Amino acid sequence: MNPTKVLVVEDEVIVAQDIAGRLKKLGYIVTATVASGEEAIEKAAENRPDIVLMDIVLKGEMDGVAAAQQIRTKVNVPTVFLTAYADETTLERAKITNPFGYIIKPFQQQDLRVAIEIALQRHEIETKMQQALKASEAAREAFEEKAQRQNQYLSMAAHELRNPLTAILISAELLELDRNTEDKSQVKRLNFLQSATKKMNQLIDDMLFMGRTESDEFKCHPFPINLVEFCQDLLEELQLGNEEKHQLVLVSSKVTSAILDQQLLHGILANLIVNAIKYSPNGGKVTLELDYSQEDGGDKVSILNASSESLLPKEQLTNVKYSGIIFRVRDEGIGIPETELGKIFEMFYRCNNTGKIPGNGLGLTIVKKAVELQGGTIACESKIGIGTTFTVALPYIPLSSRT
Ligand code: ATP
Ligand code: MG
C-alpha cells in the first residue's frame, strides 16, 4: 500500500515544521506545508493529498473552515482540524462542514495517527456509500426509463390491435343479422366469436388505461357529480347485462354529491361490482353503499394503502378508520383466500378459487390505480364462502368549495 499523503496547513512556521517532522516519523508523506487557506486550496488541487491537516485559525482572509469546505467540494479530500482554543463560533462553523476529525493542540504523536487513520476510514466509507447511492440511482433511472419504453410499446400494440378487432366485431355483428337461426352450431360459433372479441376489446381497454395512467401526462378531471344518480345509473347499466340472479342494491346516506373524476369513478365501481357479480356464481345480494366519514377531521383519506391494508389481520381491519367519501361494494360470493388477500391488486393475479370464472386479473390493478390517482385508498375484507367487501375512500371535495 502506498504511504498516505498529507497536506499540512499551519501558519506558525515552527509548529508546521514540528507537525511535518512527526508525520514523517509516523511514515506519512508530507506533500506540502502551507500557511494560508488560499495556498491550501491550490496545493490540494495540485498534489492531490489523501488528507489535509488544517489549523482552524489562519492568518489572512480565509480561515481553515472555509478552506476545508472548498477543498472538500473541489477535490473531495477530507480534513482533520488542528485547534488550540478556537472560539465557540468557529467551532460551530467547523462542525457544520462535517469535519473528519479534530486534534486539540498540544497533541501526542499517537493522537495524530489515530485521528488521521479514523478520518481516512470514514472518508473511504462515505465515498463508497456515495458511489453505491449514485449507482442505485442510475439503476433506478434506467429501470424507470425501460418501464416507460415498455409501456409505450404496449400502448402502441394495443392501439394497433384495436382496428382489426373492431373490424372483426362489426363483421360478427353483420353475420349475426344474416345468421341461420336453425343452424345451432353456427349460432354457437357466432356467440363464441362475439364474446371472444369483446373480451379482447376489454383487455385492450385495460392495457391502454394502465398505459395512460403510468405516463406522466395523465391528469384527473374532477367534476361535480350527483353521486346517488351516478350510482343508480351504473347499477341499472350493470343489471342489464346480468341474468337477474343477483340483486343489485344501492344504500346511500348523508353524501349526495361531490367533485370527482367521473371516468375514474366509473372504472372503480364498475370493476368492483362486476367482480362482486362474477364471483357470486350462486347469485345473491350485491350492495353498493355510499357513505361519508369524517374521521380525522375529514380532510384527508386515512386508510392504509391497498396492498399493505389487505395484509392486515382481520381484527385490525375492522378498526381501521376511514375518512372522505366511502364506497363499499359487498357481495355474498365465494370470498378470497386469506393468504391471497395481499396479492389481489397485483397485475394479472387471480386467486386459486376462481375455477372456471373468466378474467384477466387486471380489474383490481386498474381500480387501485384509479383510486390512488384521486388521492384515495382501498381495502378489502373477505371470508371464504361468506362474501367480500371492498371499501374505497376518496377525498371529499364538497360542491360548495368549487369557485
Ligand atoms: P378482470 O377484472 O381483469 O377481468 P379478474 O376479475 O380475474 O379479471 P381482478 O378484478 O383484478 O381480476 O381480481 C383479481 C382476483 O381477485 C380475481 O381473479 C379473484 O380471484 C379475486 N377477486 C376479486 N374480487 C373478488 C370478489 N368480489 N370475490 C371473490 N374474489 C374476488
Ligand atoms: Mg375483475
Side-chain angles (χ1 to χ4, degrees), residues 23 85 95 156 174 217 224 262 269 274 312-313 330 345:
L23 285 170
Y85 290 102
K95 261 194 233 164
M156 267 161 58
L174 288 175
E217 296 115 54
Q262 197 154 329
L269 297 180
V274 166
L312 283 178
R330 231 184 262 283
F345 297 99

Side-chain angles (χ1 to χ4, degrees), residues 199 202-203 206 271-280 329-337 340 343-354 357-367 380 382 384 387-390:
K199 267 188 217 150
Q202 183 60 49
L203 181 61
D206 289 350
N271 264 302
L272 292 179
I273 297 167
V274 166
N275 275 354
I277 295 172
K278 194 163 70 163
Y279 297 110
S280 312
V329 178
R330 231 184 262 283
D331 67 53
E332 301 167 346
I334 59 171
I336 296 170
E340 293 180 78
K343 300 180 186 158
I344 53 174
F345 297 99
E346 286 171 16
M347 224 172 178
F348 301 116
Y349 191 82
R350 306 208 67 220
C351 298
N352 281 328
N353 62 337
T354 47
I357 304 172
N360 299 313
L362 268 177
L364 287 182
T365 315
I366 286 172
V367 168
C380 173
S382 187
I384 289 286
T388 302
T389 303
F390 279 91

Side-chain angles (χ1 to χ4, degrees), residues 187-230:
V187 173
K188 213 168 145 191
R189 279 200 292 269
L190 257 176
N191 286 344
F192 177 73
L193 186 64
Q194 277 178 331
S195 86
T197 32
K198 272 185 190 145
K199 267 188 217 150
M200 274 178 79
N201 225 0
Q202 183 60 49
L203 181 61
I204 288 173
D205 280 349
D206 289 350
M207 278 161 61
L208 284 173
F209 176 84
M210 289 301 290
R212 273 198 304 127
T213 56
E214 295 292 328
S215 82
D216 296 339
E217 296 115 54
F218 189 87
K219 296 237 164 16
C220 276
H221 295 290
F223 215 71
I225 304 180
N226 180 328
L227 283 175
V228 178
E229 234 172 62
F230 181 88

